[in-house]
Amino acid sequence: MCASAQGSGSIAGVAPRLIASLTLVLAVVLVLTAACGRIAQRHSAGSPPGTASAAPCNEAGEDFASDVRLARCLTEWFWTKRFAASGRTYQPIKAFIPYHGTGGPDCGGQPAVPENAFYCPAGHFIAFDVDWLESLYNDMGDGAVYVIIPHEFGHAVQAQLMNDFTYNVERELQADCYAGGTLSGLLQEGQIRADEGDDSELLTSLAAAGDPTDAWWAPDAHGSPEQRQGFFAKGFQRGVGAC
């Protein structure tokens, strides 16, 4: 149900072929510039101002708090369009809750935990440990925000589509795929811009979020480092429809 960096995966365990593939895919994703908010206010190439292609996100994306708000706005805008294109209506989340340590909201009687982000289907909200997310933002760049937040919205989408899973790992890997597809879609729409940069930090982040063991049947399994990276890349390369 959550995207957490508490796993102890290592980039050393990722197959060389997968690293090479992801290097090409993720090189354009790692560094989302501080100007992405300004780009988000521009209409897409070939679309006149005021059309559905212009995202209504009044955020500059110049610091952590603004990037968090912008990532939420753009992700929900993306899914609103995606649902509408398939004849459905996307239901925005009811709350987007930052918390500190153990001070987060309960979800179905389960307490929030430190260093975590999660979607709660019982209340249709997303919550995140703001100190933890900001530390990732400061250590690895704003790309961390634009991966974790779309992942959690992926769970909100699953709830609305009433996707059924036998194992939790299937749910988590699909959310990784949705995150990659969302980033790819926003880049194609011209809502964010990516600069060329070293992709090792994002690869390491995705690897660290992987499970330390291959107990894929466990109720809290999220997938191995290789699986999480691979499903993110699948969404990025082929779009959310492939997830």
Side-chain angles (χ1 to χ4, degrees), residues 25-171:
V25 172
L26 300 178
V28 295
V29 179
L30 178 62
V31 183
L32 298 173
T33 70
C36 63
R38 288 189 290 276
I39 290 176
Q41 302 310 305
R42 301 174 184 171
H43 59 82
S44 299
S47 300
T51 66
S53 295
C57 301
N58 188 24
E59 288 293 339
E62 294 176 343
D63 56 28
F64 168 71
S66 184
D67 268 317
V68 167
R69 292 190 296 267
L70 183 60
R72 173 195 178 177
C73 178
L74 287 177
T75 302
E76 291 212 281
W77 173 82
F78 171 82
W79 282 112
T80 297
K81 287 189 61 179
R82 183 78 187 185
F83 270 55
S86 63
R88 296 173 176 264
T89 300
Y90 173 79
Q91 298 297 327
I93 59 171
K94 295 180 179 179
F96 191 65
I97 306 171
Y99 66 90
H100 301 273
T102 58
D106 288 354
C107 177
Q110 296 296 316
V113 298
E115 299 186 355
N116 201 16
F118 64 93
Y119 166 70
C120 179
H124 192 44
F125 67 80
I126 288 172
F128 58 96
D129 183 338
V130 64
D131 299 320
W132 165 72
L133 187 56
E134 187 169 13
S135 71
L136 296 180
Y137 180 92
N138 292 333
D139 291 344
M140 298 187 297
D142 49 3
V145 167
Y146 290 90
V147 171
I148 292 172
I149 290 176
H151 173 96
E152 298 308 331
F153 273 103
H155 291 312
V157 168
Q158 290 169 339
Q160 295 182 54
L161 297 178
M162 294 188 293
N163 290 355
D164 190 22
F165 303 94
T166 302
Y167 299 102
N168 187 68
V169 67
E170 298 172 315
R171 178 181 293 105

Side-chain angles (χ1 to χ4, degrees), residues 4-5 49 87 105 125 165 167 179 198 205-206 213 228 233 237-238:
S4 173
F125 67 80
F165 303 94
Y167 299 102
D198 181 9
S205 174
L206 287 167
T213 70
R228 299 205 69 172
Q237 291 173 313
R238 298 166 56 187

Side-chain angles (χ1 to χ4, degrees), residues 189-239:
E189 291 272 5
Q191 303 302 328
I192 57 176
R193 185 181 74 225
D195 286 341
E196 182 180 356
D198 181 9
D199 63 339
S200 62
E201 290 178 349
L202 184 52
L203 283 168
T204 302
S205 174
L206 287 167
D211 294 331
T213 70
D214 61 353
W216 50 265
W217 59 87
D220 60 347
H222 282 57
S224 69
E226 297 92 336
Q227 288 174 319
R228 299 205 69 172
Q229 291 173 326
F231 272 78
F232 182 92
K234 176 182 177 181
F236 191 90
Q237 291 173 313
R238 298 166 56 187

